[in-house]
Structures are given as structure tokens and as C-alpha cells.
Amino acid sequence: MYPARVAVVAKIESELGPVVTSAVRAIRDAIPVYGTLQGAQLADVEAIAYWSLRRLMALWAGGDRSIDDRDHSRFRAIGAARAADGRPLTDVLRAYRVASSVFVRHVASEYLDTLEPADIAELSLGVLDAIDAISEEIIGAYVIAREQLTSNRAQAHAALLDDLLAARHTSPGALADRTRELDLELPSHPDLLVVQSADSGRPMSDDTVESLVLALGLVPPDRSTTAGQRTHLCTRREQRAILLLPNIVGRTAIDSVCTEATLRGCLVERSTIADIGSSSRLAAQALDTAPDHAFDDRALLDQGDGQLLALLTARPTADTSEVVRTVLGPLTEAANEHILQGLSAFIATGTATAAATRLHLHPQTLRYRLRRAQELTGRDPRSAWHRLALDTAIQLRQLG
């Protein structure tokens, strides 16, 4: 045991919070991937920093540079975890180097008068030895885990979508590396579909999901195909399946397939990769709260339905401007103001004739405007649910 080192370690332990904060800040500044981390991922980085620095201090104070079996096991687990979340291996290893340099500089600058030059040198050598051992364990576990993940394509694709839904993708570069490994070519603005059986309690089996994917003209991940052809992902959550789809499939085709398979769903079109998690929650909550008549003559709810239901159920995420935008769509444009006026009059009066009289129009002109409104919004104002959605959006627009 080295008394001077022990005394310094005791002092550092009392100020370890700021030291770890400095180390994490340096990591986030130096490595772009870590700059995007937040929430649970950032807390994980901080926890690893606390543990690593404490372990390094204990080894240095005792004059021992060798990490033990428990340390090796811990770093293997970290390597496997980073393989699962797609964080690039080079960035992971660099993070340890950055954090270690912050720690060594802190000791050298704050405790130079307390320590001998040999103590500082021994700390630096200990850091190098530790990083060498850490690198070996993390690289080995990372490579094995990545091989396991990519050997079962269906499982690997589902794991990627699970990570996207949980916002565990860390950067465009990390996502690009992962999709390349899995022979995927994901659109930048995919459609997000959450789907369940129309029969309450009937589970979404793997066979049901595969049949759905095939009916949409897509290739399940275990089927033989050339690289770059797979443009979708799917995973299952309890009674539901979640699919990330290319835009070329189209709402009409998806609705038709779901109707044929006795499925109900909610489709959020052209979501960004970063918004996949929030889009999935919006869709799931819509399916939780939508009345049966919201599915009259269709199998799919849309983003407008989701936004309306969030408002009606007083969810914290409800946004009145999003209700207007997603329900009315092109009707909010100045060029379509006359169509919106016709629709509003129809909803207020209940008949095309009465609406035409109110607007001093021929009834046929009013009916034409109603047809155009339906074409532009996908909503039939004669349907109770669609009329509610349209009326709510019109009123919110007038209030806003």
C-alpha cells in the first residue's frame, strides 16, 4: 500500500462527482456519437465512468496494475451491450481513453505536491495497461455478439427496430453501419405501422406477421435475397406487431391487406428515423382508445386520428396544431379555402342542400367540393368519426 496515493484517492473520492462530470463532458465533446446520448444511455455512461475510475484508483493505491476476473467479466458485458445497441467500437474504446486522460490530468494538476513523480508515472502506466486489457475484452465480446446478432437475420432486424423505437440508435453513422451489416436499405422517411388483430385477444403470431409482410410484397428477413433489397423492419410487442415500411407500399395496399387478414392498425406516414419512437407511441395509443366506428369501411387509422385521440383523451403530448395539420392537410392551403368553406357548411347544416343555400351555391357545386374534400383528406364527412375529426380540426383552426 502507498500512503500518499491512498490519501489522494480518499480526497478524489470526495470530489468524484465533478471529476466524472468533467470526464463525461470531455467524452461528449470529443466523440460525436456520445454527444447525442441522453436519458438512460447517458446515465449508463456516467455509471460506467464512476465504476471505472474507482476501480483504477483502487488498483493504483494498492500498487497493482492487473485487473481481475470480475473486471474482465464486466468489460466483456460492456462489449456485448455496445454490440447490441450499435455504438461503434472505435468510439467506445476512445471514450475510455478520453476519460482516463481527464483523470490523469486531474491527479497531476491537483496533487503534484503530494505525490512523487514515480506515483504519477505509475498511474499513467496503470492506465495504459488497463486500456490494453479493456480493449482486448471489449473487442472480443463485441465481435462475438455482433456475429450472433447478424447470424439470425429476423432476430437482428427486430433488435434494430427495438433500438430505434427506444431511441437507442446513436448517430446516422452508427445506423448506416448496422444496416449495411444486415443488408438493409431503410428509407429516410419510412411509414410506421402498428397493427393488431381485429378480434380481441387474438395474438399476433410470427406466422401472421410473415403473412402480412409477404402480402405487402416484401421479403421476410430469413428469406434469401440480395443485399439492399430489404427495406423494412418488423418486431412484435405483446398483441401487436410494429413494422417500418418503405413509402412505396402505400396506404391503400396496406389497408386492403389488413382488411383481408382481419387486422386493425394505425399508419403514421413519412416519419423520420428520429421520430419513430414517438410515432409508435402515438399509433399504439390510438389503437388503445379508438372507438369501433372509427374503423368503419377501413382497417387503418392515420396520424390525424392519433392526434385527435390524443386530444380527446387529454394526453400530455396532445398538440392542437398537429390535429389541424394532420386532419385537414391540404385544406389549410389558401387555394383550397373554398373547399374548406363548403365542408364546414356541410358539417354545420347536415345536408348538401342546406350548405349550398348557406353559401349561395348550386347543390352540385357543393357536392363537388365535398368530393374534393374527401379526396384531399381521405375522410368522408358523412361518416360519424370522420365528421368529428374534421369538425374538431376546423374549430381548432378557427380558434387558433
Side-chain angles (χ1 to χ4, degrees):
M1 192 69 70
Y2 296 80
R5 298 183 195 178
V6 171
V8 167
V9 166
K11 291 180 180 179
I12 293 176
E13 181 65 35
S14 67
E15 60 189 20
L16 192 56
V19 174
V20 169
T21 299
S22 297
V24 173
R25 186 185 303 115
I27 291 170
R28 288 165 66 83
D29 289 343
I31 308 171
V33 165
Y34 283 81
T36 65
L37 297 185
Q38 54 186 334
Q41 288 180 302
L42 183 57
D44 183 48
V45 172
E46 292 172 346
I48 292 173
Y50 270 107
W51 174 77
S52 300
L53 292 182
R54 280 198 172 102
R55 193 72 187 96
L56 182 60
M57 287 192 297
L59 293 172
W60 175 60
D64 185 1
R65 293 191 206 162
S66 302
I67 64 177
D68 60 24
D69 289 342
R70 287 180 301 175
D71 298 325
H72 284 280
S73 178
R74 181 72 177 264
F75 286 115
R76 284 195 295 271
I78 291 171
R82 296 296 75 81
D85 66 25
R87 209 172 300 167
L89 184 57
T90 53
D91 290 337
V92 173
L93 298 178
R94 188 182 177 198
Y96 283 97
R97 294 196 297 272
V98 170
S100 298
S101 67
V102 169
F103 177 64
V104 172
R105 287 192 181 95
H106 176 76
V107 173
S109 62
E110 297 295 324
Y111 301 102
L112 191 59
D113 295 339
T114 305
L115 298 167
E116 297 293 330
D119 293 319
I120 304 294
E122 191 66 22
L123 176 61
S124 300
L125 292 172
V127 166
L128 291 175
D129 287 346
I131 288 177
D132 184 55
I134 288 169
S135 299
E136 183 176 349
E137 295 295 351
I138 288 181
I139 290 171
Y142 187 98
V143 170
I144 292 172
R146 294 304 294 168
E147 288 176 350
Q148 291 173 341
L149 282 171
T150 56
S151 63
N152 183 332
R153 290 305 173 95
Q155 180 182 342
H157 288 189
L160 174 55
L161 181 51
D162 287 336
D163 286 346
L164 293 174
L165 292 169
R168 286 195 293 265
H169 73 286
T170 53
S171 72
L175 181 59
D177 288 342
R178 207 159 163 193
T179 54
R180 185 169 54 252
E181 288 177 356
L182 298 174
D183 292 338
L184 288 166
E185 189 174 337
L186 299 181
S188 59
H189 291 78
D191 293 340
L192 192 285
L193 173 66
V194 179
V195 66
Q196 66 187 32
S197 172
D199 299 329
S200 178
R202 193 182 87 187
M204 285 290 293
S205 66
D206 289 335
D207 288 342
T208 302
V209 175
E210 180 168 334
S211 296
L212 174 62
V213 169
L214 286 169
L216 293 174
L218 303 171
V219 181
D222 283 337
R223 301 296 181 90
S224 177
T225 185
T226 58
Q229 282 189 320
R230 297 187 183 92
T231 56
H232 72 284
L233 296 170
C234 60
T235 188
R236 286 195 296 120
R237 299 284 177 86
E238 298 178 352
Q239 303 294 321
R240 291 172 178 159
I242 304 173
L243 294 90
L244 199 67
L245 301 171
N247 314 121
I248 59 172
V249 177
R251 167 174 291 277
T252 302
I254 298 171
D255 193 288
S256 177
V257 168
C258 288
T259 299
E260 181 69 23
T262 323
L263 300 174
R264 285 180 174 179
C266 183
L267 180 69
V268 179
E269 296 179 88
R270 299 195 64 78
S271 177
T272 65
I273 293 293
D275 290 336
I276 285 173
S278 58
S279 295
S280 174
R281 289 189 292 273
L282 180 75
Q285 290 163 1
L287 291 175
D288 287 337
T289 56
D292 285 341
H293 69 272
F295 294 95
D296 286 351
D297 300 321
R298 61 173 179 165
L300 292 183
L301 303 176
D302 61 20
Q303 187 175 3
D305 298 308
Q307 294 292 349
L308 174 64
L309 286 161
L311 179 66
L312 294 177
T313 55
R315 293 192 179 275
T317 54
D319 185 337
T320 55
S321 65
E322 280 298 289
V323 175
V324 174
R325 184 186 70 82
T326 56
V327 172
L328 296 181
L331 295 188
T332 60
E333 299 172 5
N336 294 321
E337 182 65 28
H338 63 296
I339 298 175
L340 184 59
Q341 288 177 353
L343 174 63
S344 181
F346 173 78
I347 292 173
T349 62
T351 68
T353 302
T357 299
R358 172 178 286 193
L359 296 177
H360 308 291
L361 296 173
H362 191 283
Q364 284 300 103
T365 301
L366 195 286
R367 291 189 181 93
Y368 168 76
R369 293 185 182 184
L370 292 178
R371 287 196 298 273
R372 286 293 294 147
Q374 184 173 349
E375 290 170 359
L376 292 172
T377 65
R379 298 184 183 278
D380 184 349
R382 296 168 299 179
S383 160
W385 176 256
H386 291 314
R387 187 164 58 249
L388 171 64
L390 292 165
D391 191 18
T392 302
I394 289 170
Q395 299 307 316
L396 289 173
R397 183 171 184 263
Q398 292 173 349
L399 290 173

